[in-house]
Amino acid sequence: MFVLIFVCVGSRSYQFDRLFAKLDKLWEEGIIKEDIFAQIGVSSYKPKHFQYKDFIAEEEFIDKINEAHIVISHGASGSIMKALNAKKKVVAVTRLEKYGEHINDHQIQINEAFAVNKYVLSVYNMEELGEALKAYYEDTAEIVPWENTDPMAIVNLIDNFIIENWYSVKSL
């Protein structure tokens, strides 16, 4: 069985050096024993023990998600949802403003929302990353499978918003 950890950090102009340095350390410690492929964005830290590209096209992104059994994503709802929709195990790692990883700490709330519902394991401190991966390896992670029971929910929500607001504006 081919196993792969796919790591993605998006295309914004913020580095995530802490994540890639920690992944190298976990590989050196023998905690990670499988292949990793990472999309590292503008990070200046260059991984020593796994393949990476700065950026990848959407098609390759989807291919890597499909190849992976674990996806490590920064706290971006789009990336997390793509992995969950592909039925992957997800570790959501939070970028923090104090490290220059984002403009603010909004990823804390995003990751918390997914973690509270037990769809992902959330990592707020890099020291938690090894434990999150061990939980998946040892099948002790307390997560529930993501099920999209209403694929049209967002479309319907937008339609209802437009209908309600369109008619209220037209009646003025």
Side-chain angles (χ1 to χ4, degrees), residues 15 26 28 48 55 59 69 85 88 95 110 112 127 130 148 163:
Q15 56 75 27
L26 292 172
E28 290 166 359
K48 299 173 189 159
F55 300 98
E59 183 176 290
H69 77 109
N85 283 331
K88 302 303 174 179
R95 292 175 178 264
I110 292 171
E112 196 169 271
E127 297 310 311
N148 188 357
I163 290 169

Side-chain angles (χ1 to χ4, degrees), residues 39-110:
Q39 177 268 312
I40 68 168
V42 298
S43 299
S44 60
Y45 182 91
K46 302 303 177 197
K48 299 173 189 159
H49 301 294
F50 51 92
Q51 295 182 342
Y52 66 91
K53 289 183 180 176
D54 294 344
F55 300 98
I56 58 176
E58 180 70 15
E59 183 176 290
E60 186 175 6
F61 183 88
I62 297 300
D63 288 346
K64 292 298 182 192
I65 284 178
N66 289 330
E67 291 173 12
H69 77 109
I70 296 175
V71 175
I72 299 174
S73 174
H74 68 136
S77 56
S79 298
I80 293 170
M81 287 307 305
K82 284 176 184 168
L84 290 175
N85 283 331
K87 309 287 185 204
K88 302 303 174 179
K89 297 173 180 174
V90 178
V91 178
V93 183
T94 306
R95 292 175 178 264
L96 297 174
E97 179 185 15
K98 69 181 177 182
Y99 298 115
E101 296 165 348
H102 217 298
I103 193 167
N104 59 34
D105 291 334
H106 72 279
Q107 290 195 353
I108 293 172
Q109 288 80 24
I110 292 171

